[in-house]
Amino acid sequence: MSHDDAASIHGGGPTNLPRRTFIKGVIAGGVAASSAGYFLRSSALSAQARAGTVERLVTLEVNGQSRRVDVAPQETLATTLRYKLGLTGTKLGCDRAECGACTVLVDDVPRYACSVLTHSVRNRRIQTIEGLQAADGTLHPIQQGIIEEQGFQCAFCMSGFVMSAVAFIAKNPNPTREELAHGVSGNLCRCQDYDKILTALERGAEIARGAAREA
Ligand code: FES
Ligand code: FES
């Protein structure tokens, strides 16, 4: 599920179409979109694979550190982070670009780590949930907001939501609740705890604004 697909869930669907027309549109458009999405993803992964077949021992920049790691040609970033580098804060849910649990930042942009080949992000800045807190241990405002509002139930989805929210408020420091919902709409929560999650993320954005004023 793409960020936009998920956004339509959060934001509600079309309301003015006759039901029959709407269903026809969903069936036709949905099948086309799914097929196109699968094809594009396959093509992208193949292209990334071709680009990454030369050398297995690579250097990645993860959370501000250079990490040497042996990476298979078809290996995803989520696999490398979790099973080679021990960064298990990045979760694997669907493993097919639908849930957002694996979201990390690549050059400050949220990416689904389950659907990015590690070889394609050499020489890029990768940030995971483990790299958010400051050197003195101060949590990122989004993390602090979650602690204050107790925003998640099982929290399996939490690190993905946090990474998406961190990227979103960096560009939109004063979002409305609706804008924030759209900003993290590529992340799904199986516990369906969205109301509390949004409250926590709003609190995080508020803390970030306070810190920016003091700086
Ligand atoms: S594990 Fe679900 S999007 Fe990556
Ligand atoms: S809090 Fe359980 S999956 Fe989100």
Side-chain angles (χ1 to χ4, degrees):
M1 178 177 292
S2 70
H3 279 66
D4 286 343
D5 290 336
S8 69
I9 290 174
H10 288 281
T15 53
N16 297 325
L17 289 175
R19 179 175 170 76
R20 182 182 299 272
T21 307
F22 174 63
I23 291 173
K24 278 172 63 181
V26 168
I27 292 171
V31 169
S34 299
S35 302
Y38 180 79
F39 175 75
L40 289 172
R41 179 166 178 257
S42 301
S43 302
L45 291 178
S46 299
Q48 290 175 14
R50 282 196 300 277
T53 52
V54 180
E55 182 190 359
R56 285 185 58 132
L57 195 58
V58 301
T59 302
L60 300 176
E61 188 192 325
V62 184
N63 297 330
Q65 294 184 326
S66 291
R67 306 287 302 266
R68 286 291 270 176
V69 59
D70 181 12
V71 178
Q74 304 281 357
E75 186 169 311
T76 67
L77 181 56
T79 297
T80 306
L81 292 172
R82 286 182 55 82
Y83 304 116
K84 302 279 181 71
L85 299 180
L87 297 170
T88 54
T90 298
K91 303 302 182 194
L92 268 173
C94 64
D95 204 10
R96 50 178 297 162
E98 290 181 353
C99 73
C102 62
T103 303
V104 299
L105 304 187
V106 177
D107 291 341
D108 302 320
V109 176
R111 300 283 302 273
Y112 292 151
C114 71
S115 302
V116 171
L117 290 181
T118 304
H119 279 277
S120 73
V121 291
R122 287 179 289 177
N123 306 316
R124 312 278 292 276
R125 281 180 297 110
I126 302 159
Q127 190 173 27
T128 70
I129 188 102
E130 290 90 346
L132 281 186
Q133 68 180 27
D136 66 358
T138 304
L139 293 175
H140 188 281
I142 289 291
Q143 294 173 304
Q144 187 59 40
I146 289 167
I147 287 174
E148 291 182 15
E149 295 293 338
Q150 297 286 297
F152 291 81
Q153 285 189 40
C154 77
F156 185 82
C157 64
M158 183 177 66
S159 48
F161 269 97
V162 168
M163 300 313 289
S164 293
V166 164
F168 186 74
I169 69 162
K171 292 191 170 176
N172 307 275
N174 194 17
T176 64
R177 191 174 178 89
E178 289 69 28
E179 289 167 342
L180 199 43
H182 192 271
V184 297
S185 59
N187 297 79
L188 303 180
C189 172
R190 279 195 218 176
C191 299
Q192 308 231 338
D193 212 12
Y194 295 110
D195 197 49
K196 277 166 54 188
I197 290 171
L198 281 177
T199 300
L201 299 182
E202 275 188 306
R203 175 66 186 133
E206 188 181 7
I207 295 169
R209 288 194 297 276
R213 278 195 296 273
E214 289 173 13

